[in-house]
Amino acid sequence: ATSLFEWIDASLGRVDFLANVAGEGILADPLEVTASQIRSVMENLVVGRYALCQQAGRRMLARGTGSIVNISSLAGVTALGRGHIAYSMAMGAVAQMTRELSTEWAGRGVRVNAVNPGYVQTGMQEREIAWEADLRRISPEQVVQGYVADTPLGRLERPEDVAAVVAFLCGPDAGFITGEAIEVNGGAWIF
């Protein structure tokens, strides 16, 4: 994280916002998930994001302005079951990290928020659909049908759905928003 931000300092001069996203997960029966697997997911999804928040935060706090948006997940606010234990634990930690950093830095001009996507059409999701189908002994098509059925807006989410909210949170129209987690998941968190 340090070398990335040193490059940004040298090339761009400053950091105005951070859209903080990383993806890793495993889908497995909670009785089969190992401590090593939990540590790996937490290292990538929580510790790695914290390092980026810390480096961006230092620079933003020095200028007295900036916005950090942590991409969390529906899994951080509701239990998904179906083998998501490690990912859900990590996303819950990202949600709490967001609240803590927003409390620490709000009075110093830096806003920290989160976005909680649901079932987003990405390469990572395609892999997880296959894992979940195997774990539940159903077809990948049935997994997707279940995701759509769990989403009141009736479709899978697109990356652009998330990006639009991140752009809003990083922009001036969100200048009085901090410590929030915005549900961008087609209503899936309701269930």
Side-chain angles (χ1 to χ4, degrees):
T2 302
S3 61
L4 169 66
F5 282 92
E6 288 170 351
W7 176 86
I8 291 169
D9 292 342
S11 301
L12 304 174
R14 69 181 206 204
V15 176
D16 294 315
F17 62 86
L18 170 66
N20 200 0
V21 61
E24 176 184 357
I26 57 167
L27 273 105
D29 183 315
L31 296 175
E32 303 300 321
V33 175
T34 67
S36 176
Q37 289 171 313
I38 296 286
R39 278 191 291 277
S40 175
V41 171
M42 295 298 273
E43 181 71 26
N44 183 12
L45 298 182
V46 181
V47 177
R49 286 180 201 208
Y50 178 73
L52 292 172
C53 285
Q54 190 177 52
Q55 291 297 320
R58 279 192 176 105
R59 288 153 174 84
M60 292 175 186
L61 290 165
R63 289 186 15 252
T65 185
S67 176
I68 296 172
V69 180
N70 291 312
I71 308 302
S72 187
S73 172
L74 166 68
V77 295
T78 189
L80 297 179
R82 305 185 311 258
H84 287 87
I85 186 73
Y87 184 74
S88 292
M89 289 168 57
M91 291 300 95
V94 169
Q96 189 60 23
M97 177 181 69
T98 299
R99 288 187 290 269
E100 287 292 334
L101 291 176
S102 73
T103 300
E104 294 282 345
W105 297 344
R108 297 164 60 194
V110 176
R111 298 179 296 108
V112 185
N113 292 290
V115 172
N116 294 333
Y119 305 109
V120 186
Q121 294 172 309
T122 64
M124 181 177 154
Q125 186 188 58
E126 288 176 17
R127 183 187 69 204
E128 290 180 358
I129 288 168
W131 287 348
E132 187 169 335
D134 185 55
L135 182 67
R136 296 176 57 206
R137 295 178 178 27
I138 61 175
S139 72
E141 293 77 21
Q142 289 172 300
V143 173
V144 171
Q145 289 169 356
Y147 290 173
V148 172
D150 285 350
T151 306
L153 286 181
R155 67 171 171 82
L156 293 179
E157 190 166 356
R158 294 182 296 264
E160 302 85 50
D161 296 323
V162 179
V165 177
V166 171
F168 165 73
L169 288 171
C170 290
D173 289 341
F176 204 66
I177 300 174
T178 195
E180 294 298 326
I182 298 181
E183 304 299 326
V184 184
N185 48 47
W189 69 275
I190 296 168
F191 300 114

